[in-house]
Amino acid sequence: MSDIQEIEEMGPIDYLLVEWPEARPHRELAPQLIDLVGRGLIRILDLVFLAKTEDGSVEVLEIGEMPKLAVLEGTASGLLDAEDIAEAGAVMEPGTSAALLIYENSWAAPFAIAVRQSGGQLVSSGRIPIQAILGALDAVEA
């Protein structure tokens, strides 16, 4: 299969940066992330863990040093580069850790393929933070 054909058969690609107040990522992340991959809901393209010290320096954490995530070691497509890591580090608070993740929404691949094959294209996308939903529900109840 050619690279172009493989890309045309992919689902939407998303990225996220999740931050924790501790110097190391939360242990409960590993089983949940591995479950999403195992069920075929997502495919991890890139995964990097970061820690930002109180003085503002950013360190890339080795996945292999996190036993529950060791199975994901080497997950790298090359989409993330040093500039992306620097940008992620710039928005992190000092004394925190974070996961920078690029993933394919594998569950949506059949729909995405159908959209592309029918001549459709994505013109807008976004996320609604849970805080906004809770705020809207509170406003409705008031």
Side-chain angles (χ1 to χ4, degrees):
M1 181 180 303
S2 74
D3 288 342
I4 291 175
Q5 183 179 5
E6 184 178 332
I7 290 170
E8 289 176 350
E9 294 179 1
M10 290 178 74
I13 307 296
D14 284 331
Y15 78 92
L16 53 84
L17 178 67
V18 179
E19 182 181 74
W20 292 273
E22 302 93 26
R24 296 284 180 206
H26 196 276
R27 290 183 178 93
E28 295 305 313
L29 171 71
Q32 297 301 322
L33 190 56
I34 292 167
D35 179 61
L36 291 171
V37 172
R39 291 190 295 144
L41 298 174
I42 68 168
R43 178 171 60 133
I44 298 173
L45 301 175
D46 283 293
L47 176 61
V48 175
F49 288 93
L50 306 169
K52 187 168 187 176
T53 62
E54 293 297 335
D55 71 4
S57 62
V58 176
E59 165 191 7
V60 174
L61 304 174
E62 296 297 324
I63 293 176
E65 294 177 11
M66 298 176 232
K68 290 185 176 185
L69 288 170
V71 68
L72 299 174
E73 188 173 19
T75 304
S77 68
L79 292 173
L80 281 177
D81 61 19
E83 184 178 332
D84 297 320
I85 292 169
E87 286 180 21
V91 299
M92 292 172 63
E93 292 293 324
T96 63
S97 61
L100 179 56
L101 174 67
I102 297 179
Y103 61 98
E104 173 192 3
N105 290 286
S106 306
W107 61 269
F111 176 75
I113 292 166
V115 167
R116 287 189 290 268
Q117 288 176 344
S118 69
Q121 65 180 354
L122 180 66
V123 294
S124 181
S125 179
R127 297 256 189 252
I128 302 172
I130 191 68
Q131 296 85 348
I133 293 171
L134 293 172
L137 291 173
D138 287 345
V140 168
E141 289 178 8

